[in-house]
């Protein structure tokens, strides 16, 4: 892991959140992308080397719907950039961390992604992401 790629923030309404974060960060989002397999609509803001990812649920079964019901809006996950996601997944599994998905998946923003269960990471949902070539 060599940097924080992005912070994921769960929001109830992505249009309203886009306006709020544009005001906060002093710039507009640069892309909106729906990942139907994950039940999320995302929007991205650049902040230096890192990004903010806003996540809105696209259906009631979405992990974001469940998160909003349980915890309300707020920080949902921290995503770390990795150069070799499979190697990093193996290393973390051997260290005793619980991977939510055994194989990496296609995520938003042209990434291979994998999530670590918060029960093994002190309550924080962690995402690994590697740029697809
Ligand atoms: Zn993310």
């Amino acid at each position: 892991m060599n940097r924080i790629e992005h912070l994921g923030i769960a929001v109830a309404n992505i249009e309203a959140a886009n306006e709020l974060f544009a005001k906060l960060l002093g710039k507009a989002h640069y892309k909106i992308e729906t990942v139907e397999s994950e039940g999320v609509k995302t929007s991205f803001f650049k902040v230096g080397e890192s990004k903010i990812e806003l996540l809105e649920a696209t259906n009631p079964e979405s992990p974001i719907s469940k998160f909003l019901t349980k915890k309300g809006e707020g920080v949902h996950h921290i995503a770390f950039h990795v150069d070799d996601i499979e190697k990093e997944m193996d290393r973390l599994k051997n260290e005793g961390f619980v991977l939510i998905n055994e194989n990496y998946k296609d995520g938003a923003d042209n990434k291979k992604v994998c999530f670590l269960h918060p029960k093994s990471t002190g309550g924080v949902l962690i995402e690994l992401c590697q740029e697809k070539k």
Side-chain angles (χ1 to χ4, degrees):
M1 300 189 198
N2 39 32
R3 66 185 159 88
I4 294 180
E5 215 284 330
H6 62 268
L7 276 185
I9 298 175
V11 304
N13 179 308
I14 206 158
E15 276 81 29
N18 274 339
E19 274 183 39
L20 178 68
F21 277 81
K23 228 184 274 177
L24 177 72
L25 300 171
K27 62 182 114 179
H29 63 279
Y30 67 92
K31 90 155 124 182
I32 288 196
E33 187 179 345
T34 298
V35 185
E36 215 41 80
S37 58
E38 296 295 304
V40 295
K41 185 172 180 185
T42 64
S43 91
F44 286 90
F45 293 80
K46 278 208 173 77
V47 187
E49 279 206 318
S50 302
K51 298 165 193 159
I52 298 291
E53 174 187 38
L54 303 181
L55 301 134
E56 179 192 68
T58 59
N59 68 66
E61 299 312 307
S62 165
I64 297 302
S65 301
K66 290 173 189 158
F67 182 88
L68 289 172
T69 304
K70 239 164 84 179
K71 300 194 169 164
E73 292 185 294
V75 175
H76 177 259
H77 64 271
I78 301 176
F80 292 102
H81 178 269
V82 298
D83 292 325
D84 182 341
I85 197 165
E86 287 173 297
K87 200 169 132 192
E88 204 60 10
M89 286 165 71
D90 278 348
R91 182 183 74 80
L92 292 164
K93 208 160 34 173
N94 289 332
E95 294 283 4
F97 293 98
V98 179
L99 307 183
I100 294 180
N101 44 303
E102 282 297 308
N103 297 302
Y104 66 78
K105 303 192 283 190
D106 290 332
D109 204 27
N110 196 39
K111 299 282 193 302
K112 296 175 179 174
V113 304
C114 173
F115 287 90
L116 303 185
H117 200 287
K119 75 182 175 199
S120 65
T121 56
V124 184
L125 179 62
I126 303 287
E127 177 182 4
L128 308 177
C129 43
Q130 180 190 346
E131 208 83 39
K132 276 196 248 172
K133 298 274 146 51

